[in-house]
Amino acid sequence: MNHPVRMFDYHAWATQTLLERIKELPSTVLQQEVNTSFPTIGEAFAHVYALDKCWLQILNGTSMPKALEACLPLQQETLRYSVDEFAIAFSELAEQFGAWFRSQDDLEQFIALENPYAGTRSIRFSEIVLQVVNHGTYHRGNVSAMLRQLGHASTMNDYSLFWYRESPKLMSEEEQNDV
């Protein structure tokens, strides 16, 4: 089993699961202000989307400073998206990650990551994928707390629930049979 691919598949599923829950709520919920790490749920999703896109560019060979320069404006461009627009954007981005995974022979390959905030270091592709997943999990937790502050229930999107859903999309048939 390819654990980084499986974890990314979880990340894509969990994001869509949370967005599906938000579709059940009044459309204004994305832009309602909350006193937390992000002023609105829309801004939290915009942040995750922009950084996921940034990491994909890095995986595709763009330096981190150039990827940040290209992707951080996406946060402002997407913060007013509707739930449906976020669902489409995240779905399309998951397909792009899927194409990248299929093009890779070795996710344990090292690259030099030039982080403008922390310096340069060698990092594996697999570690970048786990950063994407971990970052998304953290902020889905923020969104769940924001929903509760606004008087709405969230939805379960834990990895343990993911185990019981239908076959993962990003895994090959051979990997699915190993699960």
Side-chain angles (χ1 to χ4, degrees):
M1 176 190 312
N2 189 322
H3 291 287
V5 174
R6 177 110 168 123
M7 291 305 298
F8 183 83
D9 197 25
Y10 158 70
H11 170 63
W13 169 84
T15 300
Q16 291 298 330
T17 298
L18 190 53
L19 287 166
E20 286 299 316
R21 169 61 183 130
I22 293 170
K23 284 180 185 181
E24 299 169 357
L25 303 174
S27 61
T28 57
V29 77
L30 279 179
Q31 302 309 324
Q32 283 183 275
E33 295 219 0
V34 192
N35 188 18
T36 185
S37 56
F38 290 97
T40 67
I41 290 171
E43 288 191 46
F45 278 117
H47 170 77
V48 172
Y49 177 77
L51 271 291
D52 281 8
K53 189 93 168 168
C54 179
W55 285 114
L56 181 59
Q57 285 194 11
I58 292 165
L59 289 168
N60 277 314
T62 303
S63 72
M64 188 174 197
K66 288 186 180 183
L68 286 167
E69 184 180 329
C71 293
L72 288 182
L74 290 174
Q75 195 164 328
Q76 290 301 311
E77 293 170 24
T78 59
L79 64 89
R80 295 267 181 220
Y81 270 17
S82 69
V83 178
D84 289 329
E85 289 171 315
F86 274 122
I88 290 167
F90 277 107
S91 179
E92 289 172 351
L93 189 54
E95 288 175 19
Q96 293 168 18
F97 268 95
W100 180 82
F101 284 125
R102 288 185 295 278
S103 74
Q104 297 304 307
D105 294 328
D106 182 13
L107 294 180
E108 297 308 309
Q109 167 182 330
F110 282 91
I111 62 166
L113 180 67
E114 303 171 51
N115 186 322
Y117 308 106
T120 301
R121 64 163 291 136
S122 290
I123 194 85
R124 291 179 177 93
F125 282 155
S126 62
E127 292 177 286
I128 292 173
V129 172
L130 294 178
Q131 163 58 28
V132 170
V133 174
N134 191 50
H135 181 252
T137 300
Y138 175 77
H139 288 303
R140 282 188 300 276
N142 292 153
V143 170
S144 289
M146 294 164 86
L147 285 171
R148 287 185 197 97
Q149 287 179 5
L150 293 169
H152 304 288
S154 185
T155 190
M156 187 173 167
N157 59 66
D158 290 0
Y159 187 54
S160 60
L161 181 62
F162 172 76
W163 299 336
Y164 296 96
R165 68 158 197 46
E166 61 198 33
S167 298
K169 292 189 296 188
L170 295 178
M171 293 174 63
S172 70
E173 285 183 33
E174 180 180 297
E175 288 173 318
Q176 290 176 27
N177 292 333
D178 291 339
V179 174

